[in-house]
Amino acid sequence: MCIRDRSKSCLSVLVPMATVEDRPTVEAEVLEQFGCMPGLPAEWGEAGMLWGVLRGSRHCGMVVSESPEDAEPLLEAAVAKGVELIRVAGSMAEMSVEDIFDVQGPVAAAMRNAAERAPGEVWVVLTEGELEATDGLSKMEGFNTAMDHNKVLACTSSSGGDCEADAILVPLGDNTRLVFLFKACAHLSPASVSRLAIVANN
């Protein structure tokens, strides 16, 4: 990989994660380290930044913004590029851990629905709501196996059995992306952050 490609790769990861105020600092640091500033792909645009970062190695993303409504332009930009959205009803704050990871629950159902719509690209969209710190951590940690290379959500059956041996694995389709709409990253562990393509929309 040439220096220009390395610079572009860094920009593609770091700029979307930075706030608008911090982006010039990020760009200056990349320029200092690599000696060139190729810029982000032109087809991304500001509203298409989430769509752009999900073209890379990440199959799950997060938009960090003051409210879910602030993330709508990014979702609409993806729809304009042919992406279909499936919005999980309610918020993660309103659902218990058992609800979120129930094999018959809304998240698993949305993932199966999305996979059935292949080969079209589908984003399953989840909204944070008003999550408490410890509650948010436990709920997001459960998505780690879906966000990493395993691409499976470990679910349990509401009919009984809650140990790992009883886990029912719901695969994330090759055409499917999980997208979270959060207000901040405070509820995320380093393991979750490393698995997500994050766009700061503020």
Side-chain angles (χ1 to χ4, degrees):
M1 182 183 289
C2 70
I3 292 296
R4 187 173 182 84
D5 288 341
R6 290 176 182 173
S7 174
K8 193 169 188 175
S9 294
C10 284
L11 282 173
S12 298
V13 172
L14 298 176
V15 170
M17 295 178 67
T19 63
V20 172
E21 294 79 10
D22 289 339
R23 285 176 190 172
T25 302
V26 171
E27 292 170 349
E29 186 65 25
V30 170
L31 179 60
E32 179 179 343
Q33 295 298 320
F34 294 97
C36 62
M37 177 57 63
L40 296 174
E43 67 270 20
W44 285 21
E46 188 67 29
M49 202 167 284
L50 180 62
W51 177 87
V53 296
L54 288 176
R55 301 305 94 203
S57 59
R58 297 288 185 267
H59 50 270
C60 296
M62 175 175 285
V63 180
V64 178
S65 57
E66 288 297 320
S67 71
E69 290 75 21
D70 293 336
E72 285 303 313
L74 282 75
L75 299 179
E76 292 168 3
V79 171
K81 295 180 182 295
V83 174
E84 186 176 357
L85 304 180
I86 296 179
R87 299 175 188 264
V88 176
S91 70
M92 291 179 64
E94 295 166 343
M95 292 185 279
S96 66
V97 172
E98 290 75 19
D99 291 336
I100 292 174
F101 300 107
D102 187 335
V103 71
Q104 299 300 329
V107 178
M111 287 173 55
R112 288 191 292 266
N113 188 358
E116 290 170 359
R117 303 187 188 191
E121 183 174 343
V122 183
W123 291 5
V124 173
V125 182
L126 298 102
T127 303
E128 173 189 20
E130 300 294 334
L131 274 177
E132 298 294 334
T134 53
D135 192 32
L137 183 63
S138 63
K139 289 177 179 178
M140 281 303 299
E141 285 288 290
F143 283 98
N144 283 352
T145 54
M147 296 192 295
D148 65 19
H149 67 280
N150 292 296
K151 297 181 69 174
V152 292
L153 190 69
C155 295
T156 56
S157 173
S158 55
S159 61
D162 58 0
C163 67
E164 189 173 343
D166 295 321
I168 303 168
L169 303 181
V170 178
L172 185 71
D174 290 338
N175 68 317
T176 307
R177 308 284 187 269
L178 293 179
V179 174
F180 301 87
L181 308 183
F182 270 44
K183 293 180 181 178
C185 296
H187 305 326
L188 304 183
S189 69
S192 294
V193 170
S194 69
R195 290 165 164 82
L196 286 164
I198 299 175
V199 174
N201 189 42
N202 47 26

